[in-house]
Amino acid sequence: MLYRIQTIQKKLPANTGALVISPQNRYYLTGFSSSEGYVLITPQQGVFLVDFRYFEAAKREVKTAQVEELTRLREQLPALLARFGIQTLLVESGYVSLASFAMLKGICQGVELPAQNALDEWLLSLRMVKDEEELGYIRQAQSITEHAFYKALDFIRPGVSEREIYNEILFDYYRQGAGGMAFETIVASGPHSSSPHASVSDRRVQAGDFITIDMGAKFNGYCSDMTRTVAVGHASEHMQRIYQTVLQAQLAALNVLSANKTGHEADAVARNIIDQAGYKGAFGHSLGHSVGLDIHEEPRLSPGYEKTLPAGVVITIEPGIYLAGDCGVRIEDMALLLENGCQNLTHVAKELLVLK
Ligand code: ZN
Ligand code: ZN
């Protein structure tokens, strides 16, 4: 984990420091979760400032930075900057409010705080590529997700409500030691399945419904993400055709997905299959997004994403067809990008499942 701070140190110009503020990035650099705190990276070392509530545990657990108790930032930060000879401070801006930035500017008299700087970009490109430890947590999050999905399948029958299915999933996450949901679980039945991000309701499942379940647990801060659409009782020919089209698009995209390609290539493969099957316009979102500490990270699989994807990215492949007032299908896996291809991290079968 130390390489993360070291990578930033190597990029810092002389007499320049970096201040990391967001919970995700503080956790990424220290492995320590806290609601408040600061990581100051100087060319000489990293300093983790955290208040009394966390100080004892942080001192024991954090190995990547020197831990100091945060008491009065107004005095401590200028003193630290002076101690390390910092004349320019790069402040993380992606998650930080203008008010916090103005406050920092006010207390760091005599130090330059450029409003635009490369720190966010450095953090972003570091976080894109997952190391073995991160992959282990993502795999564990996915294994919890799959266990909860099978539990939900056992539970689904005509008459149970979307909310009851949602509760079963959530309960199983916690029973397995998850940190919670990676995002708000979607259970969309019948006509609700045509809204890609439908909110859970009290609607009761009926025979002949599609149910789209988009779910992911969190483990040690890391997210997982998977969607399956299942039918209840029976699936009409119309439903089967939609399902098979989405499945074909998803498999084709997985087949071409690889590092060293642009984000739009896999998207185009899936989109063409859906368009050519007569569903043009019914796949109204992009094919996928990266997953890590945040559920939506860079890079993306979308029509406008022209950058090349690096190996080591964990990304979703989630085509869908949504017919307003009728029904919808989405199938989503999470895969690890390799130099030549990808490794699917999702193990749940994808053939149309009709729950009897
Ligand atoms: Zn999802
Ligand atoms: Zn997703």
Side-chain angles (χ1 to χ4, degrees):
M1 189 179 283
L2 184 60
Y3 77 90
R4 300 174 188 170
I5 283 183
Q6 287 173 335
T7 304
I8 296 190
Q9 281 178 315
K10 281 184 206 135
K11 293 177 188 286
L12 286 173
N15 305 319
T16 301
L19 192 66
V20 174
I21 302 177
S22 68
Q24 294 95 320
N25 284 330
R26 279 189 277 113
Y27 178 75
Y28 180 73
L29 297 174
T30 61
F32 190 86
S33 179
S34 58
S35 60
E36 285 175 65
Y38 298 87
V39 179
L40 173 67
I41 304 172
T42 72
Q44 298 89 337
Q45 71 174 120
V47 180
F48 181 34
L49 285 165
V50 72
D51 67 65
F52 180 80
R53 294 171 297 166
Y54 302 102
F55 181 59
E56 187 189 355
K59 238 186 354 183
R60 193 173 53 235
E61 292 169 26
V62 174
K63 309 276 182 252
T64 59
Q66 182 191 308
V67 180
E68 290 196 15
E69 187 177 346
L70 176 62
T71 50
R72 278 183 64 83
L73 185 73
R74 196 163 284 283
E75 288 145 24
Q76 278 175 294
L77 186 58
L80 278 168
L81 298 178
R83 196 207 302 173
F84 292 105
I86 303 297
Q87 289 159 8
T88 303
L89 184 64
L90 312 181
V91 177
E92 182 193 4
S93 62
Y95 299 89
V96 178
S97 71
L98 279 171
S100 321
F101 186 69
M103 176 275 289
L104 288 167
K105 250 185 135 90
I107 65 177
C108 298
Q109 296 293 330
V111 174
E112 204 182 328
L113 272 65
Q116 300 222 315
N117 65 70
L119 178 58
D120 285 36
E121 187 92 16
W122 297 340
L123 289 163
L124 208 72
S125 51
L126 259 171
R127 276 178 53 182
M128 261 188 205
V129 177
K130 270 62 184 179
D131 62 28
E132 282 307 315
E133 189 184 347
E134 296 180 286
L135 288 174
Y137 296 153
I138 292 172
R139 285 196 168 95
Q140 183 62 26
Q142 180 56 23
S143 140
I144 291 171
T145 301
E146 294 183 5
H147 187 277
F149 175 73
Y150 291 125
K151 281 272 172 195
L153 287 189
D154 287 343
F155 180 76
I156 294 172
R157 60 181 59 86
V160 301
S161 73
E162 293 176 355
R163 201 177 307 282
E164 286 164 348
I165 300 168
Y166 169 100
N167 290 341
E168 284 296 302
I169 291 170
L170 191 57
F171 183 57
D172 197 62
Y173 281 170
Y174 284 117
R175 195 164 38 200
Q176 292 183 78
M181 292 188 281
F183 56 91
E184 194 59 30
T185 305
I186 295 167
V187 180
S189 67
H192 292 171
S193 60
S194 71
S195 297
H197 275 200
S199 349
V200 169
S201 78
D202 291 313
R203 182 183 184 277
R204 295 197 177 273
V205 169
Q206 300 169 14
D209 277 355
F210 263 144
I211 308 179
T212 295
I213 303 179
D214 189 348
M215 57 190 287
K218 223 171 194 189
F219 183 76
N220 268 358
Y222 285 82
C223 300
S224 63
D225 193 2
M226 170 181 89
T227 307
R228 289 293 182 266
T229 301
V230 297
V232 179
H234 53 87
S236 66
E237 256 176 53
H238 166 64
M239 288 162 73
Q240 291 182 35
R241 183 164 187 273
I242 297 170
Y243 192 93
Q244 295 310 331
T245 306
V246 174
L247 180 57
Q248 203 195 336
Q250 210 258 0
L251 294 172
L254 271 168
N255 207 30
V256 298
L257 191 63
S258 170
N260 309 313
K261 292 192 174 178
T262 66
H264 95 257
E265 285 177 69
D267 182 280
V269 167
R271 204 166 292 282
N272 282 341
I273 289 173
I274 289 171
D275 289 356
Q276 278 164 23
Y279 299 107
K280 198 171 171 64
F283 173 27
H285 56 76
S286 53
L287 181 68
H289 54 90
S290 294
V291 175
L293 288 170
D294 286 312
I295 184 63
H296 296 123
E297 296 191 351
E298 294 294 312
R300 313 261 169 171
L301 300 178
S302 67
Y305 201 94
E306 298 299 340
K307 285 187 248 175
T308 308
L309 307 166
V313 163
V314 173
I315 204 157
T316 68
I317 305 92
E318 49 180 307
I321 291 177
Y322 311 94
L323 304 177
D326 184 356
C327 66
V329 170
R330 179 164 65 256
I331 303 172
E332 175 181 28
D333 286 346
M334 207 173 49
L336 168 66
L337 295 188
L338 308 172
E339 288 295 337
N340 291 303
C342 65
Q343 181 189 31
N344 201 333
L345 304 177
T346 311
H347 309 289
V348 175
K350 287 182 284 198
E351 292 77 45
L352 176 57
L353 185 62
V354 182
L355 298 171
K356 296 289 182 187

